[in-house]
Every structure is written in C-alpha cells, then in structure tokens.
Short mmCIF file of all heavy atoms in Angstrom, two decimals:
data_model
loop_
_atom_site.label_atom_id
_atom_site.label_comp_id
_atom_site.label_asym_id
_atom_site.label_seq_id
_atom_site.Cartn_x
_atom_site.Cartn_y
_atom_site.Cartn_z
N ALA A 27 140.48 95.21 112.05
CA ALA A 27 139.76 96.40 112.55
C ALA A 27 138.36 96.44 111.95
O ALA A 27 138.14 95.95 110.84
CB ALA A 27 140.52 97.67 112.19
N GLN A 28 137.46 97.01 112.68
CA GLN A 28 136.08 97.14 112.19
C GLN A 28 135.99 98.21 111.12
O GLN A 28 136.77 99.16 111.11
CB GLN A 28 135.16 97.53 113.34
CG GLN A 28 134.67 96.33 114.15
CD GLN A 28 133.70 96.78 115.22
OE1 GLN A 28 134.09 97.30 116.24
NE2 GLN A 28 132.42 96.59 114.97
N ALA A 29 135.02 98.05 110.23
CA ALA A 29 134.83 99.02 109.16
C ALA A 29 134.34 100.35 109.74
O ALA A 29 133.65 100.38 110.75
CB ALA A 29 133.81 98.48 108.17
N LYS A 30 134.75 101.41 109.07
CA LYS A 30 134.30 102.73 109.49
C LYS A 30 133.03 103.11 108.74
O LYS A 30 132.86 102.78 107.57
CB LYS A 30 135.40 103.76 109.21
CG LYS A 30 136.58 103.54 110.12
CD LYS A 30 137.77 104.39 109.74
CE LYS A 30 138.90 104.13 110.71
NZ LYS A 30 140.20 104.55 110.20
N LEU A 31 132.19 103.81 109.44
CA LEU A 31 130.93 104.28 108.83
C LEU A 31 131.25 105.29 107.72
O LEU A 31 132.11 106.16 107.89
CB LEU A 31 130.08 104.94 109.90
CG LEU A 31 128.75 105.55 109.44
CD1 LEU A 31 127.81 104.47 108.92
CD2 LEU A 31 128.09 106.31 110.58
N ASP A 32 130.55 105.18 106.61
CA ASP A 32 130.67 106.13 105.50
C ASP A 32 129.64 107.24 105.72
O ASP A 32 128.48 106.95 106.01
CB ASP A 32 130.36 105.38 104.19
CG ASP A 32 130.68 106.21 102.96
OD1 ASP A 32 130.44 107.44 102.98
OD2 ASP A 32 131.14 105.63 101.97
N GLU A 33 130.08 108.48 105.58
CA GLU A 33 129.13 109.60 105.75
C GLU A 33 127.98 109.52 104.75
O GLU A 33 126.93 110.09 104.97
CB GLU A 33 129.84 110.95 105.57
CG GLU A 33 130.77 111.31 106.73
CD GLU A 33 131.44 112.66 106.53
OE1 GLU A 33 131.45 113.16 105.38
OE2 GLU A 33 131.94 113.22 107.52
N LYS A 34 128.22 108.83 103.63
CA LYS A 34 127.19 108.74 102.59
C LYS A 34 126.27 107.53 102.77
O LYS A 34 125.33 107.35 102.01
CB LYS A 34 127.85 108.69 101.21
CG LYS A 34 128.58 109.98 100.90
CD LYS A 34 129.01 110.02 99.43
CE LYS A 34 129.73 111.33 99.11
NZ LYS A 34 131.09 111.36 99.70
N ASP A 35 126.56 106.73 103.76
CA ASP A 35 125.67 105.62 104.10
C ASP A 35 124.28 106.21 104.33
O ASP A 35 124.15 107.22 105.04
CB ASP A 35 126.23 104.97 105.37
CG ASP A 35 125.38 103.82 105.90
OD1 ASP A 35 124.22 104.06 106.30
OD2 ASP A 35 125.89 102.70 105.95
N PRO A 36 123.22 105.64 103.75
CA PRO A 36 121.89 106.24 103.88
C PRO A 36 121.45 106.49 105.33
O PRO A 36 120.82 107.49 105.62
CB PRO A 36 120.97 105.22 103.21
CG PRO A 36 121.84 104.43 102.30
CD PRO A 36 123.23 104.45 102.90
N GLN A 37 121.83 105.57 106.21
CA GLN A 37 121.46 105.76 107.62
C GLN A 37 122.23 106.92 108.24
O GLN A 37 121.71 107.67 109.06
CB GLN A 37 121.74 104.47 108.39
CG GLN A 37 120.90 104.34 109.63
CD GLN A 37 121.10 103.00 110.32
OE1 GLN A 37 121.55 102.05 109.69
NE2 GLN A 37 120.77 102.92 111.57
N ALA A 38 123.50 107.08 107.83
CA ALA A 38 124.32 108.20 108.32
C ALA A 38 123.71 109.51 107.83
O ALA A 38 123.56 110.47 108.60
CB ALA A 38 125.75 108.05 107.83
N VAL A 39 123.35 109.55 106.55
CA VAL A 39 122.74 110.76 105.98
C VAL A 39 121.45 111.08 106.73
O VAL A 39 121.19 112.23 107.10
CB VAL A 39 122.49 110.58 104.47
CG1 VAL A 39 121.67 111.73 103.91
CG2 VAL A 39 123.82 110.45 103.73
N GLY A 40 120.66 110.04 106.98
CA GLY A 40 119.37 110.24 107.66
C GLY A 40 119.50 110.85 109.04
O GLY A 40 118.63 111.61 109.47
N LEU A 41 120.61 110.53 109.71
CA LEU A 41 120.82 111.06 111.06
C LEU A 41 121.75 112.27 111.07
O LEU A 41 122.10 112.78 112.12
CB LEU A 41 121.38 109.96 111.98
CG LEU A 41 120.35 108.93 112.44
CD1 LEU A 41 121.02 107.74 113.10
CD2 LEU A 41 119.36 109.56 113.42
N GLY A 42 122.14 112.72 109.88
CA GLY A 42 123.02 113.90 109.80
C GLY A 42 124.42 113.63 110.33
O GLY A 42 125.11 114.55 110.78
N TYR A 43 124.86 112.35 110.25
CA TYR A 43 126.18 112.01 110.77
C TYR A 43 127.31 112.61 109.94
O TYR A 43 127.29 112.59 108.71
CB TYR A 43 126.37 110.48 110.81
CG TYR A 43 127.78 110.09 111.17
CD1 TYR A 43 128.20 110.03 112.49
CD2 TYR A 43 128.73 109.86 110.17
CE1 TYR A 43 129.50 109.73 112.83
CE2 TYR A 43 130.05 109.56 110.49
CZ TYR A 43 130.43 109.50 111.82
OH TYR A 43 131.74 109.23 112.14
N VAL A 44 128.31 113.15 110.65
CA VAL A 44 129.55 113.64 110.02
C VAL A 44 130.74 113.16 110.85
O VAL A 44 130.63 112.99 112.07
CB VAL A 44 129.57 115.18 109.92
CG1 VAL A 44 128.70 115.68 108.77
CG2 VAL A 44 129.12 115.85 111.22
N HIS A 45 131.88 112.95 110.21
CA HIS A 45 133.09 112.51 110.92
C HIS A 45 133.65 113.63 111.80
O HIS A 45 134.39 113.37 112.74
CB HIS A 45 134.18 112.08 109.93
CG HIS A 45 133.87 110.84 109.16
ND1 HIS A 45 133.25 109.74 109.70
CD2 HIS A 45 134.09 110.53 107.86
CE1 HIS A 45 133.12 108.80 108.77
NE2 HIS A 45 133.61 109.27 107.64
N ASP A 46 133.34 114.87 111.44
CA ASP A 46 133.85 116.03 112.17
C ASP A 46 132.65 116.85 112.65
O ASP A 46 131.91 117.40 111.82
CB ASP A 46 134.73 116.87 111.24
CG ASP A 46 135.26 118.13 111.91
OD1 ASP A 46 134.88 118.42 113.07
OD2 ASP A 46 136.05 118.83 111.26
N THR A 47 132.46 116.90 113.95
CA THR A 47 131.29 117.59 114.50
C THR A 47 131.15 119.03 113.99
O THR A 47 130.04 119.53 113.85
CB THR A 47 131.32 117.56 116.06
OG1 THR A 47 130.09 118.06 116.57
CG2 THR A 47 132.49 118.35 116.64
N LYS A 48 132.28 119.65 113.66
CA LYS A 48 132.23 121.04 113.17
C LYS A 48 131.56 121.15 111.80
O LYS A 48 131.19 122.24 111.38
CB LYS A 48 133.64 121.63 113.09
CG LYS A 48 134.34 121.75 114.44
CD LYS A 48 135.59 122.57 114.27
CE LYS A 48 136.70 122.22 115.24
NZ LYS A 48 137.23 120.85 115.05
N LYS A 49 131.42 120.01 111.13
CA LYS A 49 130.80 120.03 109.80
C LYS A 49 129.31 119.67 109.85
O LYS A 49 128.66 119.54 108.82
CB LYS A 49 131.53 119.04 108.88
CG LYS A 49 133.03 119.34 108.80
CD LYS A 49 133.56 119.25 107.39
CE LYS A 49 134.95 119.85 107.25
NZ LYS A 49 136.02 118.86 107.43
N ALA A 50 128.78 119.56 111.04
CA ALA A 50 127.35 119.24 111.16
C ALA A 50 126.52 120.36 110.53
O ALA A 50 126.92 121.52 110.53
CB ALA A 50 126.97 119.07 112.63
N ASP A 51 125.36 119.97 110.01
CA ASP A 51 124.46 120.92 109.36
C ASP A 51 123.66 121.67 110.43
O ASP A 51 122.64 121.20 110.91
CB ASP A 51 123.52 120.15 108.42
CG ASP A 51 122.62 121.06 107.61
OD1 ASP A 51 122.49 122.26 107.96
OD2 ASP A 51 122.04 120.57 106.62
N THR A 52 124.16 122.83 110.81
CA THR A 52 123.54 123.57 111.92
C THR A 52 122.22 124.23 111.52
O THR A 52 121.44 124.61 112.38
CB THR A 52 124.49 124.63 112.49
OG1 THR A 52 124.96 125.44 111.41
CG2 THR A 52 125.67 124.00 113.18
N LYS A 53 121.99 124.36 110.23
CA LYS A 53 120.67 124.89 109.81
C LYS A 53 119.62 123.83 110.07
O LYS A 53 118.54 124.11 110.58
CB LYS A 53 120.70 125.22 108.31
CG LYS A 53 121.45 126.51 108.03
CD LYS A 53 120.98 127.15 106.73
CE LYS A 53 121.77 128.41 106.42
NZ LYS A 53 122.95 128.11 105.56
N LYS A 54 119.96 122.60 109.72
CA LYS A 54 119.02 121.50 109.91
C LYS A 54 118.94 121.09 111.39
O LYS A 54 117.91 120.63 111.86
CB LYS A 54 119.49 120.31 109.06
CG LYS A 54 118.42 119.28 108.80
CD LYS A 54 118.86 118.35 107.67
CE LYS A 54 117.90 117.18 107.53
NZ LYS A 54 118.41 116.17 106.60
N TYR A 55 120.08 121.23 112.09
CA TYR A 55 120.15 120.80 113.50
C TYR A 55 120.60 121.96 114.37
O TYR A 55 121.75 122.01 114.82
CB TYR A 55 121.12 119.62 113.64
CG TYR A 55 120.81 118.47 112.71
CD1 TYR A 55 121.62 118.20 111.62
CD2 TYR A 55 119.69 117.67 112.92
CE1 TYR A 55 121.33 117.14 110.75
CE2 TYR A 55 119.39 116.62 112.06
CZ TYR A 55 120.21 116.36 110.98
OH TYR A 55 119.91 115.33 110.14
N PRO A 56 119.70 122.92 114.64
CA PRO A 56 120.09 124.13 115.36
C PRO A 56 120.56 123.89 116.80
O PRO A 56 121.23 124.75 117.36
CB PRO A 56 118.82 125.00 115.32
CG PRO A 56 117.70 124.08 114.95
CD PRO A 56 118.31 122.95 114.17
N LYS A 57 120.26 122.73 117.36
CA LYS A 57 120.70 122.47 118.74
C LYS A 57 122.13 121.95 118.79
O LYS A 57 122.69 121.76 119.87
CB LYS A 57 119.77 121.45 119.41
CG LYS A 57 118.42 122.06 119.75
CD LYS A 57 117.60 121.07 120.56
CE LYS A 57 116.17 121.55 120.74
NZ LYS A 57 115.22 120.42 120.70
N HIS A 58 122.71 121.68 117.62
CA HIS A 58 124.09 121.20 117.60
C HIS A 58 125.06 122.25 118.12
O HIS A 58 124.92 123.43 117.82
CB HIS A 58 124.49 120.83 116.16
CG HIS A 58 125.96 120.60 116.02
ND1 HIS A 58 126.84 121.61 115.68
CD2 HIS A 58 126.71 119.50 116.23
CE1 HIS A 58 128.06 121.11 115.68
NE2 HIS A 58 128.01 119.84 116.00
N THR A 59 126.05 121.80 118.89
CA THR A 59 127.17 122.66 119.25
C THR A 59 128.44 121.85 119.03
O THR A 59 128.42 120.61 119.05
CB THR A 59 127.11 123.10 120.73
OG1 THR A 59 127.14 121.94 121.57
CG2 THR A 59 125.85 123.92 121.03
N ASN A 60 129.56 122.57 118.81
CA ASN A 60 130.81 121.87 118.48
C ASN A 60 131.38 121.04 119.62
O ASN A 60 132.26 120.21 119.39
CB ASN A 60 131.86 122.88 117.99
CG ASN A 60 131.56 123.35 116.57
OD1 ASN A 60 130.75 122.75 115.86
ND2 ASN A 60 132.22 124.40 116.15
N ASP A 61 130.90 121.26 120.85
CA ASP A 61 131.42 120.42 121.94
C ASP A 61 130.64 119.10 122.05
O ASP A 61 130.98 118.25 122.86
CB ASP A 61 131.45 121.19 123.27
CG ASP A 61 130.08 121.69 123.70
OD1 ASP A 61 129.14 121.68 122.88
OD2 ASP A 61 129.95 122.11 124.86
N GLN A 62 129.63 118.91 121.22
CA GLN A 62 128.93 117.62 121.16
C GLN A 62 129.69 116.73 120.18
O GLN A 62 129.87 117.10 119.02
CB GLN A 62 127.51 117.81 120.63
CG GLN A 62 126.64 118.70 121.51
CD GLN A 62 125.28 118.99 120.88
OE1 GLN A 62 124.99 118.57 119.76
NE2 GLN A 62 124.45 119.72 121.59
N LYS A 63 130.16 115.61 120.67
CA LYS A 63 130.95 114.68 119.84
C LYS A 63 130.57 113.26 120.19
O LYS A 63 130.14 113.00 121.32
CB LYS A 63 132.45 114.81 120.15
CG LYS A 63 133.03 116.16 119.88
CD LYS A 63 134.45 116.21 120.38
CE LYS A 63 134.96 117.63 120.15
NZ LYS A 63 136.25 117.85 120.74
N CYS A 64 130.82 112.34 119.27
CA CYS A 64 130.59 110.93 119.57
C CYS A 64 131.31 110.53 120.85
O CYS A 64 130.76 109.79 121.66
CB CYS A 64 131.05 110.06 118.41
SG CYS A 64 130.05 110.26 116.92
N SER A 65 132.54 111.03 121.03
CA SER A 65 133.33 110.61 122.20
C SER A 65 132.72 111.04 123.52
O SER A 65 133.08 110.50 124.56
CB SER A 65 134.76 111.11 122.08
OG SER A 65 134.79 112.51 122.06
N ASN A 66 131.80 112.00 123.52
CA ASN A 66 131.12 112.34 124.78
C ASN A 66 129.61 112.09 124.68
O ASN A 66 128.83 112.65 125.44
CB ASN A 66 131.45 113.77 125.25
CG ASN A 66 130.99 114.86 124.29
OD1 ASN A 66 130.10 114.64 123.47
ND2 ASN A 66 131.60 116.03 124.37
N CYS A 67 129.25 111.20 123.76
CA CYS A 67 127.84 110.81 123.60
C CYS A 67 127.57 109.56 124.42
O CYS A 67 128.43 108.66 124.49
CB CYS A 67 127.56 110.54 122.12
SG CYS A 67 125.93 109.82 121.79
N ALA A 68 126.40 109.49 124.98
CA ALA A 68 126.02 108.34 125.82
C ALA A 68 126.05 107.02 125.04
O ALA A 68 126.20 105.96 125.64
CB ALA A 68 124.63 108.58 126.40
N LEU A 69 125.90 107.08 123.73
CA LEU A 69 125.84 105.85 122.94
C LEU A 69 127.21 105.35 122.47
O LEU A 69 127.32 104.23 121.98
CB LEU A 69 124.91 106.04 121.73
CG LEU A 69 123.42 105.94 122.01
CD1 LEU A 69 122.91 107.17 122.73
CD2 LEU A 69 122.64 105.73 120.74
N PHE A 70 128.24 106.16 122.57
CA PHE A 70 129.57 105.78 122.07
C PHE A 70 130.11 104.60 122.85
O PHE A 70 130.12 104.60 124.07
CB PHE A 70 130.51 106.98 122.18
CG PHE A 70 131.82 106.82 121.47
CD1 PHE A 70 131.87 106.61 120.11
CD2 PHE A 70 133.03 106.92 122.17
CE1 PHE A 70 133.09 106.49 119.44
CE2 PHE A 70 134.25 106.82 121.52
CZ PHE A 70 134.28 106.60 120.15
N GLN A 71 130.57 103.58 122.12
CA GLN A 71 131.04 102.34 122.75
C GLN A 71 132.53 102.36 123.06
O GLN A 71 133.03 101.49 123.78
CB GLN A 71 130.73 101.13 121.85
CG GLN A 71 129.26 101.02 121.45
CD GLN A 71 128.38 100.65 122.62
OE1 GLN A 71 128.48 99.57 123.17
NE2 GLN A 71 127.52 101.56 123.01
N GLY A 72 133.25 103.29 122.48
CA GLY A 72 134.68 103.36 122.73
C GLY A 72 134.98 104.15 123.99
O GLY A 72 134.08 104.59 124.70
N LYS A 73 136.28 104.32 124.26
CA LYS A 73 136.69 105.17 125.38
C LYS A 73 136.73 106.61 124.86
O LYS A 73 136.83 106.85 123.65
CB LYS A 73 138.07 104.76 125.88
CG LYS A 73 138.06 103.35 126.49
CD LYS A 73 139.28 103.17 127.37
CE LYS A 73 139.26 101.79 128.02
NZ LYS A 73 139.64 100.75 127.06
N ALA A 74 136.66 107.56 125.79
CA ALA A 74 136.59 108.98 125.40
C ALA A 74 137.73 109.39 124.47
O ALA A 74 137.54 110.23 123.60
CB ALA A 74 136.57 109.84 126.66
N ALA A 75 138.91 108.80 124.66
CA ALA A 75 140.07 109.21 123.87
C ALA A 75 140.20 108.44 122.54
O ALA A 75 141.07 108.75 121.73
CB ALA A 75 141.34 109.02 124.68
N ASP A 76 139.32 107.47 122.30
CA ASP A 76 139.44 106.66 121.08
C ASP A 76 139.07 107.46 119.83
O ASP A 76 138.10 108.21 119.82
CB ASP A 76 138.51 105.44 121.17
CG ASP A 76 139.01 104.39 122.14
OD1 ASP A 76 140.16 104.51 122.61
OD2 ASP A 76 138.25 103.45 122.44
N ALA A 77 139.88 107.29 118.78
CA ALA A 77 139.62 107.99 117.52
C ALA A 77 138.36 107.44 116.84
O ALA A 77 137.63 108.18 116.18
CB ALA A 77 140.82 107.85 116.59
N TRP A 78 138.11 106.14 117.02
CA TRP A 78 136.93 105.50 116.42
C TRP A 78 136.35 104.53 117.43
O TRP A 78 137.09 103.95 118.23
CB TRP A 78 137.33 104.71 115.15
CG TRP A 78 137.79 105.60 114.04
CD1 TRP A 78 139.06 106.08 113.86
CD2 TRP A 78 137.00 106.18 113.00
NE1 TRP A 78 139.09 106.91 112.77
CE2 TRP A 78 137.86 106.98 112.22
CE3 TRP A 78 135.65 106.09 112.66
CZ2 TRP A 78 137.40 107.70 111.11
CZ3 TRP A 78 135.20 106.79 111.54
CH2 TRP A 78 136.07 107.59 110.79
N GLY A 79 135.05 104.35 117.38
CA GLY A 79 134.42 103.42 118.29
C GLY A 79 133.04 103.03 117.77
O GLY A 79 132.52 103.65 116.83
N GLY A 80 132.48 102.04 118.37
CA GLY A 80 131.17 101.57 117.94
C GLY A 80 130.05 102.50 118.39
O GLY A 80 130.19 103.27 119.33
N CYS A 81 128.94 102.40 117.66
CA CYS A 81 127.71 103.11 118.04
C CYS A 81 126.57 102.17 117.69
O CYS A 81 126.49 101.70 116.55
CB CYS A 81 127.57 104.41 117.27
SG CYS A 81 125.93 105.15 117.54
N PRO A 82 125.69 101.88 118.65
CA PRO A 82 124.61 100.93 118.38
C PRO A 82 123.70 101.34 117.22
O PRO A 82 123.06 100.50 116.61
CB PRO A 82 123.84 100.86 119.70
CG PRO A 82 124.39 101.93 120.57
CD PRO A 82 125.70 102.37 120.02
N LEU A 83 123.66 102.61 116.91
CA LEU A 83 122.80 103.06 115.80
C LEU A 83 123.33 102.62 114.45
O LEU A 83 122.60 102.59 113.47
CB LEU A 83 122.66 104.59 115.81
CG LEU A 83 121.98 105.18 117.04
CD1 LEU A 83 121.80 106.68 116.85
CD2 LEU A 83 120.64 104.53 117.28
N PHE A 84 124.63 102.32 114.40
CA PHE A 84 125.25 101.99 113.11
C PHE A 84 125.83 100.59 113.06
O PHE A 84 126.74 100.31 112.27
CB PHE A 84 126.29 103.06 112.75
CG PHE A 84 125.68 104.43 112.57
CD1 PHE A 84 125.91 105.42 113.51
CD2 PHE A 84 124.86 104.71 111.50
CE1 PHE A 84 125.32 106.69 113.36
CE2 PHE A 84 124.26 105.96 111.34
CZ PHE A 84 124.49 106.94 112.28
N GLY A 85 125.32 99.70 113.91
CA GLY A 85 125.69 98.30 113.85
C GLY A 85 127.18 98.07 113.95
O GLY A 85 127.82 98.54 114.88
N ALA A 86 127.73 97.36 112.98
CA ALA A 86 129.13 96.96 113.04
C ALA A 86 130.09 98.07 112.61
O ALA A 86 131.29 97.94 112.76
CB ALA A 86 129.36 95.73 112.16
N LYS A 87 129.57 99.15 112.06
CA LYS A 87 130.44 100.23 111.58
C LYS A 87 130.86 101.15 112.73
O LYS A 87 130.07 101.45 113.61
CB LYS A 87 129.71 101.06 110.52
CG LYS A 87 129.20 100.24 109.34
CD LYS A 87 130.26 100.13 108.28
CE LYS A 87 129.83 99.21 107.15
NZ LYS A 87 128.70 99.78 106.38
N GLN A 88 132.10 101.59 112.67
CA GLN A 88 132.60 102.49 113.72
C GLN A 88 132.39 103.95 113.34
O GLN A 88 132.44 104.32 112.16
CB GLN A 88 134.09 102.24 113.94
CG GLN A 88 134.33 100.86 114.55
CD GLN A 88 135.61 100.79 115.33
OE1 GLN A 88 136.63 101.30 114.91
NE2 GLN A 88 135.56 100.15 116.47
N VAL A 89 132.18 104.76 114.35
CA VAL A 89 132.01 106.21 114.14
C VAL A 89 133.23 106.94 114.71
O VAL A 89 133.93 106.41 115.57
CB VAL A 89 130.71 106.72 114.80
CG1 VAL A 89 129.49 106.04 114.15
CG2 VAL A 89 130.69 106.49 116.30
N ALA A 90 133.47 108.13 114.21
CA ALA A 90 134.63 108.91 114.66
C ALA A 90 134.39 109.50 116.04
O ALA A 90 133.30 109.99 116.33
CB ALA A 90 134.91 110.03 113.66
N GLY A 91 135.42 109.45 116.88
CA GLY A 91 135.31 110.05 118.22
C GLY A 91 134.94 111.52 118.13
O GLY A 91 134.22 112.05 118.98
N GLY A 92 135.43 112.17 117.10
CA GLY A 92 135.14 113.59 116.90
C GLY A 92 133.92 113.83 116.03
O GLY A 92 133.67 114.96 115.62
N GLY A 93 133.21 112.76 115.73
CA GLY A 93 132.03 112.87 114.86
C GLY A 93 130.79 113.31 115.62
O GLY A 93 130.83 113.61 116.82
N TRP A 94 129.70 113.31 114.89
CA TRP A 94 128.43 113.75 115.50
C TRP A 94 127.26 113.24 114.66
O TRP A 94 127.40 113.08 113.43
CB TRP A 94 128.37 115.28 115.55
CG TRP A 94 127.12 115.84 116.22
CD1 TRP A 94 126.95 116.05 117.55
CD2 TRP A 94 125.90 116.24 115.59
NE1 TRP A 94 125.67 116.57 117.78
CE2 TRP A 94 125.02 116.69 116.59
CE3 TRP A 94 125.45 116.26 114.26
CZ2 TRP A 94 123.72 117.15 116.33
CZ3 TRP A 94 124.16 116.71 113.99
CH2 TRP A 94 123.31 117.16 115.02
N CYS A 95 126.14 113.00 115.32
CA CYS A 95 124.88 112.80 114.59
C CYS A 95 123.75 113.37 115.43
O CYS A 95 123.95 113.71 116.60
CB CYS A 95 124.64 111.32 114.24
SG CYS A 95 123.72 110.39 115.49
N SER A 96 122.58 113.46 114.81
CA SER A 96 121.46 114.15 115.46
C SER A 96 120.87 113.37 116.64
O SER A 96 120.02 113.87 117.35
CB SER A 96 120.38 114.47 114.44
OG SER A 96 119.93 113.29 113.83
N ALA A 97 121.35 112.13 116.84
CA ALA A 97 120.89 111.36 118.00
C ALA A 97 121.82 111.55 119.20
O ALA A 97 121.67 110.88 120.22
CB ALA A 97 120.80 109.88 117.66
N TRP A 98 122.77 112.49 119.06
CA TRP A 98 123.71 112.75 120.17
C TRP A 98 122.95 112.97 121.47
O TRP A 98 121.94 113.69 121.49
CB TRP A 98 124.57 113.99 119.88
CG TRP A 98 125.59 114.25 120.96
CD1 TRP A 98 126.84 113.72 121.05
CD2 TRP A 98 125.43 115.10 122.10
NE1 TRP A 98 127.47 114.18 122.20
CE2 TRP A 98 126.61 115.03 122.86
CE3 TRP A 98 124.38 115.91 122.57
CZ2 TRP A 98 126.80 115.75 124.04
CZ3 TRP A 98 124.56 116.61 123.77
CH2 TRP A 98 125.76 116.53 124.48
N ALA A 99 123.44 112.33 122.54
CA ALA A 99 122.85 112.49 123.87
C ALA A 99 123.99 112.59 124.87
O ALA A 99 124.95 111.82 124.81
CB ALA A 99 121.96 111.31 124.20
N LYS A 100 123.88 113.55 125.75
CA LYS A 100 124.93 113.80 126.72
C LYS A 100 125.18 112.56 127.59
O LYS A 100 124.24 111.94 128.08
CB LYS A 100 124.52 114.98 127.60
CG LYS A 100 125.61 115.51 128.48
CD LYS A 100 125.08 116.75 129.21
CE LYS A 100 126.00 117.21 130.33
NZ LYS A 100 127.32 117.60 129.91
N LYS A 101 126.45 112.23 127.72
CA LYS A 101 126.84 111.12 128.58
C LYS A 101 126.59 111.52 130.03
O LYS A 101 126.94 112.62 130.44
CB LYS A 101 128.34 110.84 128.37
CG LYS A 101 128.78 109.51 128.91
CD LYS A 101 130.25 109.31 128.64
CE LYS A 101 130.47 108.25 127.59
NZ LYS A 101 131.87 108.08 127.25
N ALA A 102 125.96 110.63 130.77
CA ALA A 102 125.62 110.96 132.17
C ALA A 102 126.86 111.07 133.04
O ALA A 102 127.85 110.42 132.77
CB ALA A 102 124.67 109.91 132.73
FE1 SF4 B 220 127.98 109.52 117.52
FE2 SF4 B 220 126.23 109.42 119.49
FE3 SF4 B 220 125.40 109.75 116.99
FE4 SF4 B 220 126.37 107.44 117.75
S1 SF4 B 220 124.50 108.41 118.52
S2 SF4 B 220 126.89 108.50 115.86
S3 SF4 B 220 127.97 108.02 119.19
S4 SF4 B 220 126.62 111.20 118.19
#
C-alpha cells in the first residue's frame, strides 16, 4: 500500500491539509465547508468511496477521502 500523507508534513501544513475536513482551520480558510472533502475534490485520484487515494499535490503519499486542503476544487 502507498504511504499516507502526514498532517505534519511541511507541504500538508502549508496547504492546511487535515485527515478530517471538520478539523480544517476555518479562521484561516473561511471558504471551507464540511461538505468539501478530498473524495469530492477534482484532484482526488481515488474513487469517491475510497478511504484513501492519491492527490497530485502530494506526490506518492495518499490523502484521506474525508480529508481536506485549501486547494480543494469542486469536481465537475
Ligand atoms: Fe484533498 Fe483536493 Fe487537497 Fe488533494 S487538492 S489534498 S484531493 S482537497
């Protein structure tokens, strides 16, 4: 299995990534809402139901389907 992204990874911190979208820093990211998740982000490489999947922003590390970062973009 691929390695999972660490929330403390400097790149994760830089993008405000969290494994649980509900823990996103809403003061820093006021546009965040809890229905924004990696699993419904345009960049998520996994299937919508996958617990973990790839994200091109984090290379070989997998992100949580229920996670979030400030680069979230609505899946078309
Ligand atoms: Fe998750 Fe999208 Fe951020 Fe990647 S870009 S970590 S899939 S919210």
Side-chain angles (χ1 to χ4, degrees):
Q28 275 184 283
K30 291 171 179 161
L31 178 64
D32 189 322
E33 288 181 342
K34 295 191 179 73
D35 177 296
Q37 204 175 339
V39 171
L41 284 169
Y43 173 84
V44 282
H45 292 320
D46 177 355
T47 188
K48 296 191 210 65
K49 304 223 167 92
D51 185 344
T52 52
K53 285 205 182 92
K54 199 165 172 189
Y55 306 108
K57 288 187 189 144
H58 168 269
T59 60
N60 285 345
D61 59 348
Q62 299 174 357
K63 298 173 184 172
C64 292
S65 62
N66 63 22
C67 172
L69 280 74
F70 191 60
Q71 305 291 295
K73 295 199 178 76
D76 288 349
W78 294 85
C81 171
L83 296 185
F84 297 109
K87 304 272 175 67
Q88 293 206 317
V89 297
W94 183 87
C95 90
S96 58
W98 183 87
K100 191 176 169 62
K101 195 179 250 177

